Amino acid sequence: MPSSSMARTATDLSPRGIFAFWGPLAATWLMMAVEGPYLAAVVARLPDPTLGLAAYGVAIAMAVLIEAPVIMLLSASTALVEDAVSYRRLRTFAHGLNAFSTLLLLLVLVPSVHRGLMIGALGLPEDLARLTYGALWCFLPWPAAIGYRRFWQGVLIRSGRTRLVAGGTVVRLVAMSAAAIALAVSTDLPGASVGASALSCGVVVEAAVARWMARDAIGALLGPSNRGALTVARPSVSSDPHDIAEIGRVGVSTADPDAGPAEGAELRFSDIARFYVPLALTSLIGIGIQPMLTFFMGRAASPVESLAVFPVVHSLGFIFRSVGLSFQDAVIALVGRRDEGYAEIRRFAIGLGAGLSGILALIAFTPLSHIWFVHVSGLSPGLAAFAIPAARVLTPVPFLGVILSLQRGTLIRNRTTGPIIVATAAEIAAVAAVFVVVGWGLGWVGATAAFTGFLFGRLAANLYLTPKVRAARTARNSTDSRDRGSSE
């Protein structure tokens, strides 16, 4: 196919078209951001709420840590699934990851191991450890369900059906709510087990719905024309603005129409492992930032106030950061095999990030901050005085987060995942170093020092990845030029 085809595909990526594709993914993340506070509110209304909330918090923290190996299956399937061969091999790889994560949870549920972790390592009281143990059993389906639903969601995103992803999340919230209400009303389960069971029910239902929704995309992958190495000709996005508005609802393929021989035909399990391991380690390392900051704040100025306002400010920031996190998979899907959509997506990312940081600044630097933290979040005026400066420090982070999603998505699409884990390590190192300087050295309030470290850590990751993205794109363009030259 001539090179003009690629140029046409890239110019079809108007801001409206990108938004139509990405918007449902952003809505998915926002809906997931709601489920935590919602279930916490349910647990808080059951008997012994203090102990129930504590056990639920410990159990979900452990479940999130155990699910870390599977969390990047969405990005992997979006980037790698291109034909029957790559689909089957990545699906087998996902089977192994899901089994591994489930075995990890079963290991934690061995009574002696559980007591050693909860009572010996974490120092939990006996009654709290007992409630956590029951809640973790309720989380047993969680890791595999998360892995499968993210794998199928990646297939949906790869085929352009992003609205179906958001629809699956709506089903998840409905199933989770129904389970939570039914268990709270009709059983005597402890609050922690009610919350854990509701979450597990939601993700199991969502995984099943995602598989059902992906049936057409899977059928297209497994059709006769996609068996083995082949040239996959995929339709480009229409230049008609009325058609662009339909992206994600009816499904528009995001694969490169000039792809040549499918990459999946040559995809080996060793290739998948080299691609995926840095992403899995990135998730695992990233999970460590919040516990580290909690430890640091406990030894800084105003530790009690800082620990009290940190989750409130963090939750506000996550609302904006989640929108940026959702952008990574849109970048993987839309940037193109030869990065022909990069310029348009980069312009969209800059506008999106600036808008998100601008809205957060509007809240943090105006009287809206008092309304949010006192009247919405329920903090006392005294605690709000600690939260507002921390929120102001956080305002550039949504912009940096969108840029980080652009950088990560571009590297993943170019199958260069190694720099991502280095950037995550650099981010954590910068967070720790900045906190030590301003929190312990200069005596700043712990919450303000924590979010200052978070800001500089994210900036460090951006700065590290900037030349890596440039190098990956240059290498891709050089390879394509040689390939075109040899074919001529």
Side-chain angles (χ1 to χ4, degrees):
M1 189 170 293
S3 60
S4 61
S5 174
M6 290 190 298
R8 186 181 66 251
T9 302
T11 56
D12 287 341
L13 293 174
S14 68
R16 182 180 177 184
I18 297 172
F19 181 83
F21 183 92
W22 159 78
L25 302 180
T28 296
W29 276 86
L30 288 173
M31 285 187 283
M32 288 191 296
V34 170
E35 68 182 9
Y38 172 78
L39 282 178
V42 173
V43 174
R45 286 163 173 78
L46 294 175
D48 203 353
T50 302
L51 202 59
L53 285 170
Y56 174 69
V58 175
I60 197 169
M62 184 64 67
V64 169
L65 180 63
I66 290 171
E67 77 168 19
V70 305
I71 203 69
M72 284 294 187
L73 278 173
L74 191 154
S75 294
S77 58
T78 304
L80 298 180
V81 172
E82 296 184 336
D83 60 12
V85 174
S86 56
Y87 168 78
R88 289 194 174 103
R89 288 181 180 173
L90 189 59
R91 184 183 60 183
T92 301
F93 187 81
H95 289 330
L97 280 180
N98 293 334
F100 174 73
S101 295
T102 302
L103 288 174
L104 279 181
L105 182 51
L106 285 171
L107 177 63
V108 172
L109 287 168
V110 173
S112 59
V113 176
H114 181 267
R115 288 185 61 85
L117 283 174
M118 300 299 162
I119 298 177
L122 297 181
L124 300 184
E126 183 73 34
D127 53 351
L128 180 56
R130 177 178 49 80
L131 287 176
T132 302
Y133 185 74
L136 283 174
W137 270 110
C138 298
F139 270 125
L140 188 59
W142 170 275
I146 290 289
Y148 283 121
R149 72 139 177 128
R150 290 185 70 81
F151 175 73
W152 305 128
Q153 285 176 338
V155 173
L156 286 169
I157 293 170
R158 177 74 186 176
S159 65
R161 296 169 169 86
T162 54
R163 290 194 181 183
L164 294 180
V165 176
T169 305
V170 172
V171 174
R172 165 181 172 167
L173 292 177
V174 171
M176 180 194 74
S177 299
I181 294 171
L183 291 171
V185 171
S186 61
T187 72
D188 295 325
L189 282 175
S193 295
V194 170
S197 298
L199 271 179
S200 292
C201 178
V203 297
V204 168
V205 171
E206 186 185 22
V209 168
R211 174 61 180 84
W212 179 77
M213 288 178 170
R215 66 194 186 282
D216 291 338
I218 296 169
L221 287 168
L222 300 181
S225 63
N226 270 338
R227 298 184 187 279
L230 72 159
T231 299
V232 182
R234 307 272 179 99
S236 63
V237 179
S238 170
S239 59
D240 186 332
H242 297 289
D243 293 340
I244 291 176
E246 297 299 301
I247 295 176
R249 182 174 71 85
V250 297
V252 177
S253 173
T254 58
D256 184 277
D258 193 25
E263 292 178 353
E266 300 177 357
L267 195 65
R268 298 169 298 181
F269 289 113
S270 58
D271 298 326
I272 297 174
R274 281 194 298 270
F275 175 90
Y276 192 82
V277 167
L279 298 180
L281 291 176
T282 295
S283 298
L284 191 60
I285 294 173
I287 290 172
I289 290 182
Q290 189 166 342
M292 179 184 71
L293 288 175
T294 300
F295 173 80
F296 285 170
M297 284 186 292
R299 289 154 180 79
S302 304
V304 175
E305 294 83 354
S306 295
L307 290 170
V309 303
F310 180 84
V312 178
V313 179
H314 188 271
S315 296
L316 174 63
F318 182 74
I319 293 173
F320 294 90
R321 288 188 294 109
S322 65
V323 176
L325 288 170
S326 67
F327 191 63
Q328 175 175 305
D329 295 300
V331 173
I332 297 170
L334 294 176
V335 74
R337 183 176 173 186
R338 297 188 175 96
D339 290 347
E340 59 272 18
Y342 180 81
E344 288 81 0
I345 294 172
R346 182 176 180 272
R347 282 194 292 270
F348 185 89
I350 291 172
L352 173 63
L356 292 173
S357 284
I359 296 172
L360 181 56
L362 183 65
I363 295 174
F365 287 93
T366 69
L368 289 174
S369 61
H370 181 81
I371 295 174
W372 178 267
F373 287 114
V374 175
H375 298 289
V376 177
S377 300
L379 296 181
S380 66
L383 285 178
F386 287 90
I388 292 172
R392 290 173 177 172
V393 170
L394 199 61
T395 52
V397 172
F399 175 80
L400 298 178
V402 174
I403 299 303
L404 185 64
S405 291
L406 172 67
Q407 293 171 322
R408 286 180 171 179
T410 303
L411 289 170
I412 291 172
R413 188 65 188 93
N414 283 281
R415 302 191 177 186
T416 308
T417 55
I420 295 176
I421 186 174
V422 180
T424 303
E427 181 173 2
I428 292 183
V431 169
V434 170
F435 190 101
V436 169
V437 171
V438 302
W440 294 346
L442 300 180
W444 287 18
V445 170
T448 304
F451 287 109
T452 301
F454 197 84
L455 168 62
F456 279 93
R458 182 55 48 89
L459 183 60
N462 290 135
L463 292 176
Y464 176 80
L465 288 180
T466 297
K468 302 299 181 182
V469 170
R470 188 182 301 116
R473 296 186 65 234
T474 300
R476 168 71 73 175
N477 292 335
S478 299
T479 300
D480 292 338
S481 297
R482 287 196 302 269
D483 291 343
R484 285 193 295 269
S486 61
S487 65
E488 294 173 358

